[in-house]
Amino acid sequence: GLGAMLEPSPEKELLQQKGISGTVTDEKGDPIPGVTIIVRGTALGALTDISGKYTLSNVPQNATLVFSFVGMTTQEIPSAGRAVVDVVL
């Protein structure tokens, strides 16, 4: 019937893009400025500011964020549809 046409398609859900923000800190809880955040497989990226905060726009919902900083282990974190992704490096 007509009801089936009104259902949102799962493909659209997966491709939905949104902003992600968060804070990067060290294990003591101090913010780390200058951390590079890249959305794996895209040209999207950002740097953390003096407060360790970053914002990314138009991120695919199922994206993996790659956090890297000189002298620290690179971390890959799935965004898993979250709007806020805080990381401890």
Side-chain angles (χ1 to χ4, degrees):
L2 289 173
M5 292 173 68
L6 301 174
E7 291 293 313
S9 83
E11 287 80 18
K12 282 221 175 70
E13 299 276 322
L14 280 176
L15 295 175
Q16 193 176 21
Q17 297 190 325
K18 53 198 238 169
I20 295 179
S21 61
T23 308
V24 181
T25 54
D26 64 19
E27 58 276 354
K28 297 186 203 104
D30 296 323
I32 310 176
V35 175
T36 303
I37 302 100
I38 296 171
V39 181
R40 195 171 68 195
T42 75
L44 292 170
L47 277 175
T48 55
D49 65 13
I50 195 78
S51 312
K53 297 190 183 316
Y54 72 91
T55 304
L56 291 162
S57 304
N58 301 318
V59 180
Q61 192 158 357
N62 56 351
T64 297
L65 306 182
V66 181
F67 294 80
S68 58
F69 188 72
V70 177
M72 299 203 175
T73 307
T74 298
Q75 295 211 26
E76 297 198 8
I77 311 230
S79 63
R82 293 176 293 172
V84 176
V85 179
D86 293 331
V87 177
V88 177
L89 280 186

